[in-house]
């Protein structure tokens, strides 16, 4: 499927030129403001070097981020990147817990030390910024807090924040500023070979194996940060510009998103962290009991493999008849929803170029939306709504109030949105009705998503955005932001050139997934839908598709395949029926970036545990102690593993299903085939 045409990287800004060498002599410790984590292992230092604001991060006394720059540049005079000195500091500490309404765990601990460092201009005392840094045991975040006297306007063209690391660090990253938004295969290179990268950006330092992930938290009313290697070994924040070349417009005092640096002594330590959520503001929506985790099926995969169409015609997928069949399948198998794409006027013709033509309230004549939602109500399931905007933000904003009101009246509580358009090619009409182009992660798009969330929330609707802005933990503040895409999902296996490689999931777990939930849409059972020799196939075993429900966190999980493919494999399908999507607790047990990962999660409000293990193209045997289980309890382990001869390429289908009694003292040996995986349900037994 030709979904995207190549696009141009417009409005490129001049490269930042640092004014002093980053290798300048280190100042005496006394001149620095220093703050350490509660356990004392991680620390950050802030100072001014010949007027240039600087910081550094250390773990066990060794540099993680060596001397790096701070600062903001504006279009007109008044930039905050030089002639700054530290004029004061204040400190605070916090240790508390708070609850996620849904999530990979219920209770989150926020334990950090905080430092506020005030940098002011050497001659103009009112000019400057404060850096607020919060240091947790598993990483830190800092942000700029900028007082702007008189509420004046500031036009930010550049953020000078940089992250200096050893050039030989191993890094895992996807290219940024390129047409396919966040949807690229993860690269493994030494730092020196990084070009412009998205975050989360993951690295392993050369000695000792310390893992680092750079990202951001609470991206609100600002432009998303890409990392650009402007000098060898120094990644610099690069903000996506608006159509006027300015990255961020601000009036009066402002704060930036948090720049986050996770640090862990092993790879899974990056996953077992709540840093990003802790740096976001609490829920602003009040009672969110209407936000419902769940599993869903959909009129969807058929379009991606070409057996159905979004637009009208002989193979139109979104017919009343098909929807009723899917609703019945959902109800019979314990799913809570059915996604229906292609239900509304606008898909005919070249839909990815015709965003202005979409109606979000008018169904196609062969889709009787009232009959469909009546049937859903009778069967105790819900229709899941779909709004593909094709990147026309204004067309969507003009209709979204009516669109959400319609869905609310029909009992729809979740809507999948879509922004299929080349990066940098979102369309908005300005006050004069002129077309302006925006990045998916520019300030305008960032604010657009919040407007959608707020409008949806008034109608008790949750949003699952595809082709979104990256996740920065805003689900804490807006719990109706229930999931999103923002990486190569399952759909790439239908038509991607190439499809997702066997190592894809072991990459996502340590990169994209550090940001938050992903609507990957697992569960393809017919892995060779175009024949085993076609390049379009899923490059995993069937057992690995089951493991994805545990390894990839999302409060909504799709069973993405066609119902008929589940009907012929009911035994393996049982795992998808059993696995929940909301968790009391989660722990990544073992793994290496790009190689393998083993994750265990406890059902929220229940006693069952689930385990998912996936490997890359290498077969491997993993020894997994079950000490995460409640001690003294007995469990029936339903083990779905790669069967005899399984191999992602040669024979992906054999699944062996075994039931055993286990307890917390046991150690399981998991045999993963090449491109394979294991999925386990631990059902607690009485007594
Ligand atoms: C891209 C989304 O990721 C996919 O799930 C959807 O089917 C198409 N856009 C059409 O909206
Ligand atoms: Ca997509």
């Amino acid at each position: 499927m030709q979904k995207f045409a190549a696009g141009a990287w417009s409005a490129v800004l001049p490269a930042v030129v640092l004014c002093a060498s980053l290798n300048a002599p280190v100042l005496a410790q006394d001149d620095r403001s220093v703050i350490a984590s509660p356990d004392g292992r991680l620390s950050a230092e802030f100072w001014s070097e010949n007027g240039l604001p600087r910081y550094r991060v250390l773990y066990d006394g060794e540099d993680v981020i060596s001397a790096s720059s701070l600062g903001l540049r504006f279009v007109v005079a008044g930039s905050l990147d030089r002639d700054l000195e530290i004029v004061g500091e204040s400190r605070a500490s916090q240790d508390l817990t708070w609850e996620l309404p849904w999530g990979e765990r219920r209770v989150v601990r926020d334990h950090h030390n905080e430092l506020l460092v005030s940098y002011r201009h050497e001659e103009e005392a009112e000019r400057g910024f404060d850096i607020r840094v919060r240091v947790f045991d598993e990483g830190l975040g800092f942000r700029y807090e900028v007082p702007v006297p008189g509420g004046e306007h500031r036009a930010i063209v550049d953020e000078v924040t940089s992250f200096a690391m050893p050039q030989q660090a191993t890094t895992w990253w996807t290219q940024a500023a390129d047409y396919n938004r966040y949807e690229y295969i993860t690269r493994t290179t030494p730092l020196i070979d990084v070009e412009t990268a998205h975050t989360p950006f993951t690295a392993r330092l050369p000695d000792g194996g310390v893992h680092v992930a750079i990202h951001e938290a609470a991206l609100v009313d600002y432009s998303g940060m890409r990392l650009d290697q402007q000098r060898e070994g120094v990644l610099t924040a690069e903000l996506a510009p608006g159509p006027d070349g300015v990255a961020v417009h601000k009036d009066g005092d402002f704060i930036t998103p948090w720049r986050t640096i996770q640090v862990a002594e092993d790879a899974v330590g990056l996953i077992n962290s709540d840093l990003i959520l802790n740096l976001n503001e609490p829920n602003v929506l009040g009672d969110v009991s209407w936000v419902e985790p769940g599993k869903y099926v959909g009129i969807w995969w058929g379009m991606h493999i070409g057996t159905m169409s979004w637009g009208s015609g002989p193979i139109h997928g979104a017919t009343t008849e098909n929807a009723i069949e899917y609703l019945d399948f959902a109800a019979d198998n314990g799913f809570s929803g059915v996604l229906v794409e292609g239900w509304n006027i606008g898909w005919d013709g070249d839909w990815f170029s015709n965003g202005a033509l979409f109606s979000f309230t008018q169904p196609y004549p062969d889709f009787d939306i009232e009959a469909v939602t009546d049937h859903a109500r009778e069967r105790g399931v819900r229709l899941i709504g779909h709004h593909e905007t094709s990147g026309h933000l204004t067309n969507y904003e003009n209709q979204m109030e009516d669109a959400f009101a319609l869905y609310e009246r029909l009992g729809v509580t979740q809507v999948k949105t879509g922004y299929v358009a080349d990066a940098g090619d979102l369309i908005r009409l300005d006050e004069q009705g002129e077309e302006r182009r925006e990045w998916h992660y520019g300030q305008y798009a960032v604010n657009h998503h919040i407007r959608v969330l707020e409008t949806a929330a008034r109608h008790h609707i949750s949003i699952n955005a595809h082709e979104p802005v990256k996740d920065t933990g805003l689900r804490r503040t807006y719990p109706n932001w229930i999931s999103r895409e923002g990486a190569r999902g399952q759909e790439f296996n239908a038509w991607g050139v190439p499809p997702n490689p066997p190592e894809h999931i072991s990459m996502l777990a340590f990169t994209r997934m550090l940001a938050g939930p992903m609507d990957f849409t697992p569960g393809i059972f017919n892995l060779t839908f175009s024949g085993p020799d076609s390049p379009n196939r899923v490059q995993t075993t069937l057992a690995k598709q089951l493991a994805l429900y545990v390894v990839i966190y999302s409060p909504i999980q799709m069973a993405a395949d066609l119902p008929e493919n589940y009907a012929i494999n009911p035994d393996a399908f049982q795992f998808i029926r059993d696995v929940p999507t909301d968790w009391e607790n989660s722990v990544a047990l073992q793994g290496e970036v790009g190689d393998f990962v083993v994750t265990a999660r406890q059902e929220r409000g229940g006693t069952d545990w689930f385990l998912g293990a996936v490997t890359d193209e290498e077969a491997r045997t993993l020894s997994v102690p079950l000490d995460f289980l409640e001690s003294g309890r007995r469990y029936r382990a339903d083990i779905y593993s790669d069967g005899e001869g399984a191999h992602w390429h040669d024979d992906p289908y054999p699944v062996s299903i075994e039931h055993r009694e286990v307890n917390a003292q046991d150690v399981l040996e998991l045999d993963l085939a090449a491109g394979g995986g294991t999925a386990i349900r631990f059902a607690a037994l009485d007594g």
Side-chain angles (χ1 to χ4, degrees), residues 3 181 183 466-467 485 491:
K3 192 167 78 161
R181 306 167 304 273
E183 296 169 30
H466 278 229
E467 301 78 49
E485 193 186 37
E491 62 185 20

Side-chain angles (χ1 to χ4, degrees), residues 3 300 304 310 341 386 388 416 420 466-467 485 491:
K3 192 167 78 161
W300 179 79
H304 288 270
W310 282 281
E341 296 197 357
H386 186 233
E388 174 55 63
K416 171 177 169 180
V420 171
H466 278 229
E467 301 78 49
E485 193 186 37
E491 62 185 20

Side-chain angles (χ1 to χ4, degrees), residues 168-181:
Q168 291 317 314
T170 305
T171 65
W172 296 277
W173 56 284
T174 50
Q175 70 221 61
D178 215 339
Y179 79 95
N180 224 351
R181 306 167 304 273

Side-chain angles (χ1 to χ4, degrees), residues 377-397:
R377 206 169 302 113
E378 279 161 27
R379 296 299 322 262
V381 293
R382 295 186 190 279
L383 173 69
I384 296 177
H386 186 233
H387 291 159
E388 174 55 63
T389 68
S390 286
H392 202 303
L393 303 182
T394 306
N395 182 49
Y396 187 39
E397 292 202 20

Side-chain angles (χ1 to χ4, degrees), residues 11-231:
V12 180
L13 293 168
V16 171
V17 180
L18 293 179
C19 303
S21 161
L22 289 169
N23 301 321
V26 170
L27 295 187
Q29 195 71 14
D30 299 345
D31 299 326
R32 300 181 179 211
S33 283
V34 182
I35 177 92
S37 57
D39 69 1
R41 294 183 71 181
L42 185 68
S43 63
E45 302 176 355
F46 292 82
W47 71 100
S48 171
E49 197 166 300
N50 305 321
L52 299 173
R54 287 277 191 261
Y55 82 103
R56 173 185 182 209
V57 177
L58 299 100
Y59 188 61
D60 289 341
E62 301 285 334
D63 269 358
V64 170
I65 303 292
S66 50
S68 294
S69 53
L70 297 166
L72 296 167
R73 294 200 174 131
F74 306 131
V75 171
V76 290
S79 287
L80 301 173
D81 59 345
R82 68 187 68 180
D83 305 324
L84 297 169
E85 59 186 358
I86 293 181
V87 298
E89 59 165 58
S90 64
R91 286 163 191 278
S93 288
Q94 181 156 297
D95 187 7
L96 52 77
T97 57
W98 55 276
E99 289 202 10
L100 277 166
W102 48 265
E104 54 278 66
R105 74 190 90 259
R106 189 168 57 81
V107 179
V108 178
R109 183 176 181 194
D110 176 350
H111 187 197
H112 70 259
N113 293 328
E114 178 179 293
L115 169 70
L116 188 79
V117 193
S118 299
Y119 284 95
R120 291 294 179 271
H121 195 268
E122 288 161 358
E123 274 139 35
E124 299 164 51
E126 281 201 335
R127 196 168 129 197
F129 55 71
D130 297 340
I131 293 283
R132 187 180 301 275
V133 56
R134 292 191 180 151
V135 188
F136 302 74
D137 290 346
E138 79 267 21
L140 60 82
F142 63 84
R143 71 179 181 194
Y144 298 85
E145 302 188 352
V146 187
V148 180
E152 283 168 22
H153 181 74
R154 291 286 179 269
I156 304 171
V157 280
D158 242 327
E159 188 177 309
V160 196
T161 313
S162 68
F163 307 86
M165 286 191 283
Q167 295 179 20
Q168 291 317 314
T170 305
T171 65
W172 296 277
W173 56 284
T174 50
Q175 70 221 61
D178 215 339
Y179 79 95
N180 224 351
R181 306 167 304 273
Y182 302 100
E183 296 169 30
Y184 287 97
I185 291 174
T186 312
R187 301 193 198 179
T188 307
T189 72
L191 175 62
I192 190 67
D193 293 336
V194 173
E195 294 150 17
T196 301
H198 281 304
T199 72
F201 172 90
T202 301
R204 185 179 61 221
L205 301 185
D207 303 316
V210 171
H211 285 69
V212 180
I214 301 171
H215 188 43
E216 56 184 309
L219 171 55
V220 177
D221 196 21
Y222 206 78
S223 172
M225 176 178 76
R226 309 182 282 231
L227 297 174
D228 190 25
Q229 184 160 206
Q230 292 177 349
R231 286 180 179 226

